[in-house]
Amino acid sequence: MDSTKKDEDKLNSTKCEIYEAKEENERLKRMLSKMVKDYKSLQMHFQGILTQKNSKNNIIATSNNIHEEKEQVELVSLSLGRSSTSRELIKKELLYDDQNNSNKKHNKLLFDGLELGLDCKFTQENSFEELKKENINNERSVLVQNYPPSKMDYCDEEFLQQIPQKKARVSIRAVCGTTTMNDGCQWRKYGQKIAKGNPCPRAYYRCTVSPLCPVRKQVQRCSKDMSILTTTYEGTHNHPLPFSATAMASTTSAAASMLRCTSTSSTSQQFLPNIDQNLHGKFNFTNNNAPTFHLPKTSISTSQSHPTITLDFTTNSSSTNSSSSSFNSYSTLCNNFKSEIGPSSYLGRPCYSNQPFITSKNNQNTIIEYSSGVRNSDDEWIQKNAKVSHLGFDHVT
DNA sequence: CGTTTTTGACCAGCGC
DNA sequence: GCGCTGGTCAAAAACG
């Protein structure tokens, strides 16, 4: 008798579960159809804006291909390079710049900024070779932008042929007590080398979030100050990133944006407004937590071989300006570092900064320093980081 | 036992 | 062509 009742209960419970599953299924279907509808609506809206923009700017879109390519560029990705897929597109963009004044160029930068995070153009059909090829093209595009405009004949096929296909790099220098910085991504070590001029071994890692991800990073301690860890990122993630990895990715992406927005001869003042707008474009999402991203003055130079931008999060007592720029990626990074380093490491050293400034400039790299207060105790360290964390998501005035 | 790290070998690019 | 250097590969070892 009891067993029959139990069976009935079990049956009822199962029926309930099936019913709930069906309900859930229906709900998900409705959500999906709504999302598809919204997506189509957004797509149409986007097309409309594009058309409007093009007509306003008198840009002649000669074929649907141009639209398609442009759309690809304007899709968002966390990339160290551009999303352009062909040299032809580079030329079109350069022509676009040429035809438009600075205001319109600003618009372009906003679109460039939208490269961050939403590049969905990679499909499962992409072969590794295609991805590699695309990466090379991306990096080449970066290089095209790094060449001084004065020296560039934008339409010169020969010139474009001469541009070396070297990858752009973003280097992060930070005080770190562990072997590698916690940037939120998954990495696998594939090599280690003693590089010339530094007795500390250089470790080579590749991203393992996706088996086809071409992103590499190098980690090496500074020979002069063993507490400083230099992490150099190269390549473009071809997969969605974990939330915890977006800070570093957006930082490197922003740095790469700076890299490509500058030439060896330009000064910070000339291009920073554009970069600032660019970064706003990246971070002004509708999310309540949307951070405001200010990038202070700086200037960039790149080497001819591997264009490298170095973000130096190590300490510097000669802090200039304690003004109120907020640098979300920086602050999030600080929190990441903090979790790795621990508050008691390197007491007495100044903390990470919120205000970058140039400390050195040569043909190879530009060092951008961020500095703020001095860490006097564990408590103060914690307070500062808590503050930084807050600053990361609020506009600071 | 599967995954990650280590480490020597190998390769490509570059300067001489 | 040769040597140096940076970067990658892959087999073996270590690890969980």
Side-chain angles (χ1 to χ4, degrees):
Chain A
M1 198 61 181
D2 274 353
S3 64
T4 316
K5 200 178 177 183
K6 275 181 184 173
D7 285 347
E8 273 180 20
D9 284 348
K10 201 175 177 182
L11 190 66
N12 282 337
S13 157
T14 312
K15 278 181 182 174
C16 270
E17 281 176 19
I18 292 170
Y19 178 76
E20 280 171 10
K22 277 184 181 173
E23 288 263 290
E24 178 71 8
N25 193 21
E26 284 301 316
R27 200 171 58 83
L28 288 170
K29 274 184 186 171
R30 282 196 298 273
M31 278 176 68
L32 180 65
S33 73
K34 189 177 182 303
M35 282 171 75
V36 169
K37 198 178 163 186
D38 287 350
Y39 172 75
K40 283 181 179 170
S41 157
L42 270 171
Q43 201 174 27
M44 286 185 65
H45 183 64
F46 180 67
Q47 287 280 7
I49 290 171
L50 260 189
T51 315
Q52 208 174 5
K53 186 161 101 33
N54 285 347
S55 62
K56 272 184 186 174
N57 295 337
N58 293 324
I59 292 176
I60 304 161
T62 52
S63 70
N64 286 336
N65 278 343
I66 297 173
H67 277 293
E68 285 167 12
E69 287 177 349
K70 267 283 177 190
E71 281 170 27
Q72 284 192 349
V73 171
E74 289 154 4
L75 286 172
V76 184
S77 73
L78 286 167
S79 79
L80 296 184
R82 298 168 67 84
S83 298
S84 37
T85 54
S86 71
R87 205 173 50 196
E88 194 183 7
L89 179 57
I90 297 166
K91 284 174 69 177
K92 280 169 193 164
E93 288 196 3
L94 291 168
L95 277 170
Y96 177 89
D97 280 353
D98 207 32
Q99 287 172 2
N100 294 277
N101 60 27
S102 59
N103 189 35
K104 286 164 189 168
K105 193 165 183 174
H106 151 78
N107 288 337
K108 176 188 170 294
L109 284 165
L110 279 174
F111 276 106
D112 274 351
L114 286 171
E115 282 176 23
L116 190 67
L118 297 178
D119 190 347
C120 302
K121 67 174 185 274
F122 285 103
T123 64
Q124 293 193 337
E125 293 81 44
N126 279 115
S127 70
F128 181 66
E129 286 305 313
E130 281 169 337
L131 293 172
K132 252 176 115 175
K133 196 175 169 184
E134 183 154 336
N135 249 30
I136 288 169
N137 282 331
N138 287 351
E139 306 302 347
R140 191 168 190 181
S141 306
V142 172
L143 283 162
V144 168
Q145 297 246 337
N146 289 334
Y147 275 70
S150 57
K151 292 179 186 172
M152 266 189 87
D153 176 0
Y154 292 153
C155 300
D156 187 356
E157 189 75 18
E158 214 170 299
F159 172 78
L160 289 166
Q161 295 281 356
Q162 289 168 6
I163 297 170
Q165 296 190 21
K166 292 287 174 68
K167 291 181 177 181
R169 291 174 172 176
V170 175
S171 194
I172 311 265
R173 275 164 54 85
V175 176
C176 184
T178 55
T179 51
T180 180
M181 212 161 61
N182 177 20
D183 52 22
C185 254
Q186 293 170 16
W187 303 94
R188 182 180 172 177
K189 193 176 181 180
Y190 66 89
Q192 184 168 303
K193 260 293 208 252
I194 302 285
K196 193 185 175 187
N198 189 343
C200 304
R202 178 184 297 162
Y204 299 90
Y205 296 84
R206 61 163 57 96
C207 177
T208 57
V209 174
S210 160
L212 292 179
C213 183
V215 175
R216 303 272 195 276
K217 79 168 178 182
Q218 301 175 7
V219 177
Q220 189 174 33
R221 291 224 164 265
C222 176
S223 58
K224 289 176 184 171
D225 185 345
M226 300 290 275
S227 66
I228 296 173
L229 197 69
T230 304
T231 309
T232 305
Y233 296 88
E234 181 182 304
T236 304
H237 290 287
N238 61 6
H239 51 81
L241 287 165
F243 179 75
S244 55
T246 55
M248 179 63 80
S250 55
T251 299
T252 54
S253 184
S257 296
M258 290 172 70
L259 196 59
R260 71 168 178 264
C261 287
T262 64
S263 69
T264 50
S265 57
S266 51
T267 64
S268 57
Q269 315 283 20
Q270 288 172 296
F271 55 79
L272 265 162
N274 285 341
I275 290 176
D276 191 47
Q277 293 296 337
N278 188 16
L279 295 172
H280 273 292
K282 282 178 178 158
F283 288 93
N284 275 342
F285 296 122
T286 52
N287 186 329
N288 286 338
N289 286 334
T292 305
F293 191 128
H294 284 284
L295 193 71
K297 296 172 184 176
T298 184
S299 69
I300 304 295
S301 68
T302 65
S303 79
Q304 292 289 326
S305 54
H306 277 291
T308 305
I309 179 168
T310 301
L311 305 180
D312 196 334
F313 288 89
T314 61
T315 59
N316 192 309
S317 55
S318 61
S319 172
T320 47
N321 182 343
S322 61
S323 87
S324 49
S325 297
S326 76
F327 190 36
N328 172 60
S329 300
Y330 144 74
S331 57
T332 319
L333 281 173
C334 281
N335 290 326
N336 286 340
F337 296 164
K338 180 191 161 194
S339 67
E340 287 280 295
I341 301 163
S344 56
S345 307
Y346 313 116
L347 280 175
R349 292 184 65 90
C351 292
Y352 307 117
S353 63
N354 59 4
Q355 182 68 38
F357 61 92
I358 301 299
T359 55
S360 71
K361 186 176 176 183
N362 54 35
N363 288 335
Q364 301 295 318
N365 301 319
T366 294
I367 311 287
I368 304 168
E369 296 273 354
Y370 299 81
S371 68
S372 65
V374 177
R375 189 186 325 153
N376 292 323
S377 66
D378 288 11
D379 288 338
E380 188 169 349
W381 163 267
I382 292 163
Q383 280 173 4
K384 280 174 183 297
N385 276 278
K387 188 179 173 189
V388 162
S389 174
H390 176 71
L391 296 182
F393 291 96
D394 287 313
H395 181 70
V396 187
T397 55

